[in-house]
Amino acid sequence: MDQIVWARSPVRIDIAGGWTDTPPYCLMEGGTVVNLAIELNGQPPLQAYVKPCRETHIVLRSIDLGATEVVDTYEQLADFNRVGSPFSIPKAALTLAGFQCSAENPSTDNTLRRQLEQLGYGIELTLLSAIPAGSGLGTSSILAATVLGALNDFCRLGWDKNEIGHKTLMLEQMLTTGGGWQDQFGGILGGVKLLQTGRGFEQDPLVRWLPTDLWTLPEYEQCHLLYYTGITRTAKHILAEIVRRMFLNHHDQLLLLRQMKEHTMQMYDAIQRQDFRQMGLLVRHTWQQNQLLDSGTNPVEVQRLTALVDDLCLGYKLPGAGGGGYLYMVAKDPAAAARIRTVLSENRQSANARFVDMSLSARGLQISRS
């Protein structure tokens, strides 16, 4: 009764191939992505805590949102798709973990309270997302995977990281948020990696880990900069338009997605050869491809920011769907990195704008008991 299951995850930055992991394209032609798992300010920023409680109910808490909800019934769990709910992710995760009304037992004893009595205790589930909303770092998907990982350990469900990744995709479909598979696999699996799937409904990413020297050696580590723009964005609108064109088999978009997969293999090769300059230039090309896919990925406010440091960077991009959130930059050298920090600190376009220390996460999703 006094144990706490503690799950924590890094976030991810996609540097090539983002969008090729998104249905329906990945179902038709497979996806190819290179991304990296990162910690912020030396810590995994997404965390979940699960512990038993004596009362036979479920208590949901969000530290960053300052919200609490007590769940007593299956009906409360089933409203995970209610717009504006701060607990959509944990409610859907609990449902996937088996806390749901059994169709085989429609009797009046078939209640959440009864299920918890059989378990022997209630559940307290606490979330912490130490990242601003709309970050572009795959936050919602990886937080969902972190919650599922904590519940997996607490309930002894026997899922491995691959199964947690698939359950996360199911959870996103339950919430109608859509999206692909690269976010959760980018976070729950550490390091720098190439993720590939073939065509078909079974999207099981094949993982090839890449050398990390371009991010960890002293001469390169300080060249990787992460800047919170303070510009809020909602990926859902960009996602909806791109997916709509996928369903319509839009010729130019399908051609571009195929080129993005080829470009991802060029990134894979550059990292294998540990060619820092080429890797940075390919990040720049990734950003250009994202803009060709949808011009909304690069709003005017972001263009003003990047114009200030363009000549100091090999490449830069907004992670994820773009539109705002964080800006990832690969400086030409340590001196250029220092200059970028000075320029953007002196030309803040938002009161919330700031640099955040980033470091490569070697372990991905971690789960332990107190």
Side-chain angles (χ1 to χ4, degrees):
M1 286 296 294
D2 62 349
Q3 269 195 323
I4 296 177
V5 174
W6 176 29
R8 58 268 190 209
S9 296
V11 284
R12 70 93 189 95
I13 293 177
D14 55 309
I15 57 174
W19 293 112
T20 69
D21 66 302
T22 305
Y25 178 79
C26 66
L27 306 180
M28 298 184 295
E29 302 195 20
T32 305
V33 179
V34 172
N35 65 26
L36 48 139
I38 62 164
E39 296 182 351
L40 305 182
N41 299 317
Q43 299 290 332
L46 303 176
Q47 307 197 14
Y49 311 85
V50 186
K51 68 184 293 285
C53 64
R54 299 193 183 279
E55 298 79 9
T56 50
H57 58 209
I58 298 174
V59 182
L60 303 176
R61 294 190 178 93
S62 171
I63 294 175
D64 51 294
L65 297 177
T68 301
E69 183 176 342
V70 177
V71 177
D72 296 296
T73 67
Y74 288 129
E75 289 74 19
Q76 287 175 275
L77 280 183
D79 77 344
F80 48 75
N81 58 2
R82 177 166 53 87
V83 176
S85 171
F87 297 114
S88 293
I89 287 175
K91 286 180 178 181
L94 284 158
T95 301
L96 282 172
F99 293 94
Q100 54 184 305
C101 184
S102 172
E104 291 78 21
N105 180 20
S107 70
T108 56
D109 288 339
N110 185 18
T111 64
L112 177 60
R113 189 175 296 275
R114 178 60 177 159
Q115 186 178 7
L116 293 171
E117 286 173 355
Q118 293 172 343
L119 186 66
Y121 37 73
I123 298 173
E124 292 186 17
L125 173 55
T126 302
L127 313 180
L128 170 62
S129 175
I131 308 176
S135 67
L137 300 178
T139 305
S140 60
S141 296
I142 303 172
L143 180 61
T146 307
V147 173
L148 286 167
L151 289 171
N152 170 58
D153 186 281
F154 184 83
C155 299
R156 303 296 180 117
L157 299 175
W159 301 336
D160 60 13
K161 286 187 175 181
N162 188 58
E163 183 65 19
I164 291 171
H166 285 294
K167 295 289 185 185
T168 303
L169 191 57
M170 293 171 61
L171 185 149
E172 291 188 317
Q173 299 306 315
M174 290 165 65
L175 300 183
T176 70
T177 52
W181 43 254
Q182 71 127 330
D183 290 352
Q184 56 266 35
F185 284 102
I188 63 180
L189 303 175
V192 185
K193 59 271 181 194
L194 172 72
L195 300 163
Q196 290 178 293
T197 62
R199 66 178 63 188
F201 286 103
E202 294 297 325
Q203 291 289 295
D204 294 313
L206 174 67
V207 186
R208 291 188 173 92
W209 272 274
L210 288 155
T212 61
D213 289 359
L214 298 185
W215 286 266
T216 57
L217 290 178
E219 60 265 38
Y220 301 131
E221 186 176 15
Q222 55 191 309
C223 295
H224 299 276
L225 302 172
L226 193 62
Y227 182 73
Y228 180 60
T229 64
I231 301 167
T232 58
R233 38 74 92 187
T234 302
K236 190 170 184 178
H237 303 303
I238 297 174
L239 173 66
E241 178 56 26
I242 291 176
V243 169
R244 185 187 70 84
R245 292 198 295 268
M246 287 180 185
F247 274 110
L248 293 174
N249 287 323
H250 192 281
H251 175 269
D252 291 344
Q253 179 165 295
L254 292 178
L255 179 62
L256 178 57
L257 287 164
R258 290 167 188 152
Q259 292 170 350
M260 292 169 79
K261 289 176 66 174
E262 295 174 4
H263 169 72
T264 303
M265 297 311 298
Q266 294 171 7
M267 177 69 78
Y268 172 78
D269 181 64
I271 298 172
Q272 286 279 26
R273 291 185 287 103
Q274 300 190 46
D275 187 336
F276 176 75
R277 184 176 185 278
Q278 182 65 9
M279 180 276 296
L281 292 174
L282 289 171
V283 169
R284 180 182 289 268
H285 189 60
T286 297
W287 182 229
Q288 293 168 347
Q289 288 180 325
N290 284 10
Q291 293 172 70
L292 289 173
L293 203 57
D294 192 301
S295 60
T297 60
N298 189 16
V300 173
E301 299 90 338
V302 173
Q303 294 177 41
R304 293 196 194 102
L305 276 175
T306 55
L308 296 171
V309 297
D310 183 78
D311 60 336
L312 298 169
C313 294
L314 291 171
Y316 49 80
K317 75 180 297 288
L318 296 177
Y326 281 87
L327 174 65
Y328 170 61
M329 294 167 279
V330 182
K332 291 180 176 179
D333 51 48
R339 181 60 183 156
I340 290 170
R341 288 184 178 274
T342 300
V343 169
L344 292 186
S345 297
E346 292 176 350
N347 294 273
R348 292 169 58 194
Q349 297 192 32
S350 166
N352 295 329
R354 58 193 180 272
F355 280 96
V356 177
D357 290 336
M358 60 168 279
S359 57
L360 205 62
S361 169
R363 299 183 64 180
L365 171 64
Q366 302 173 63
I367 301 172
S368 57
R369 291 181 174 228
S370 62

